[in-house]
Every structure is written in structure tokens, then in C-alpha cells.
Amino acid sequence: MSQRPVVAVFNGPNLNLLGERQPEVYGSGTLADLRELCRATTEAHGWDLDFRQTNHEGVLLEAIHEIRHTAYGLVLNAAAWTHTSVAIHDALALVRCPVVEVHLSDVHAREAFRHHSYVTPRAALVIVGRGAQGYVDAIEALPGLRSDPGTG
Ligand code: CA2
């Protein structure tokens, strides 16, 4: 069994199609590129990566439940559910580790319906508009967001 801290990076709906359209908004990288960037970042710190994407809200809820007591940190791009899901808001209250909310685009500079987030009240840090680099920054912020940065 791995003794290394595990960083969860969870992605919501449509992000599996990253790179197919709107590169001016989301960048030209794919989800596989994003996973590799996250893997390299966690590996550099000696951490394991649990990277997931789903188009099913219940699957994301159960993934959050699964890691709630064990993850070193949760980096969450809930995509459109960010703006709609009280269920995700409620599930995040059960998570022991710091949660970093990430969005590839600057949601505050876009349509009004993207300005509200049900994730933000549960997030220790919110990163928007930095593209894939935002995921790297989120992972690297985790030790500073924990009360016990080194213990995993
Ligand atoms: O900017 C972000 O990361 C978002 O979470 C992305 C969501 C959007 O609903 C949020 O408001 C902001 C949309 C993800 C769409 O995924 C794509 C799929 C194919 C091509 C481009 C993006």
C-alpha cells in the first residue's frame, strides 16, 4: 500500500473534450495533457495523483465521498456543476483536506451565470483564468493550506 500523500484532481462535465474547441477560452491542451502536467507536478513533490473526470454528477459525488478522509488535497474543477450543484457544495463539507477550486478560464470575466460558485464557500483557495498552469499552482499551494503540511 502506498504511504505517499495522494492528491485528488477531479474534473466535471465536458472536460473530457478539452482541446476540441474554444482554445481561446480553455487553451489547446487535452485532458490527457492536463493529467500529465498534474502527474509531473505531484511526482516532483513525492505525492501520488488520483486524477478523474466524469460527466455524471453522482459519480463525482461518490468520488468526493471516497477521498474525503484520505486525500492530501482536492483540486476541483467542477465545470458547469460549479454554478448549479448544491449537492457538490454539501459533499465538500465532508472533505477533511483543503479544497482548491480551479477554472481554466476567468469565470468572472464571462457570462453572469458563471459568476456564482457553489464550490467557493468550501474552497481554501480559488484559482481562475490561468489555464492548465492553474492546476499546477493549485497542487503546489496545498502544503500551505494544511495545518500539517508535511504529514500527508
Ligand atoms: O473554465 C473552466 O475551467 C470551467 O470550469 C469550464 C466549464 C464551464 O462550464 C465553467 O463555467 C468554467 C466548461 C468545460 C467545457 O469543457 C470544454 C470541452 C471542450 C472544449 C472546450 C471546453
Side-chain angles (χ1 to χ4, degrees):
M1 202 179 88
S2 170
Q3 297 299 312
R4 306 205 307 174
V6 179
V7 175
V9 179
F10 291 170
N11 298 279
N14 298 312
L15 288 166
N16 56 310
L17 299 181
L18 214 52
E20 280 200 11
R21 61 179 174 82
Q22 292 183 278
E24 70 286 0
V25 180
Y26 297 114
S28 54
T30 65
L31 190 69
D33 296 333
L34 202 51
R35 179 197 291 264
E36 176 50 27
L37 189 61
C38 291
R39 194 206 59 75
T41 306
T42 52
E43 190 57 44
H45 290 271
W47 304 330
D48 284 337
L49 175 68
D50 178 359
F51 187 99
R52 309 187 203 187
Q53 186 278 331
T54 179
N55 294 317
H56 302 275
E57 189 174 350
V59 171
L60 178 59
L61 289 170
E62 289 180 357
I64 292 169
H65 297 171
E66 192 184 319
I67 61 88
R68 71 189 187 280
H69 295 313
T70 55
Y72 180 77
L74 170 60
V75 175
L76 178 62
N77 185 348
W81 296 326
T82 304
H83 317 299
T84 62
S85 181
V86 176
I88 290 172
H89 173 93
D90 288 348
L92 292 173
L94 306 168
V95 172
R96 189 180 289 166
C97 65
V99 176
V100 183
E101 175 180 1
V102 171
H103 299 286
L104 294 159
S105 64
D106 180 358
V107 285
H108 302 295
R110 300 181 64 195
E111 302 97 320
F113 65 82
R114 296 186 203 275
H115 297 180
H116 178 263
S117 166
Y118 285 100
V119 174
T120 297
R122 303 295 192 207
L125 177 67
V126 180
I127 295 175
V128 304
R130 297 187 204 167
Q133 181 62 36
Y135 283 66
V136 173
D137 296 344
I139 293 167
E140 295 197 324
L142 290 172
L145 299 173
R146 291 179 58 95
S147 49
D148 58 342
T151 59

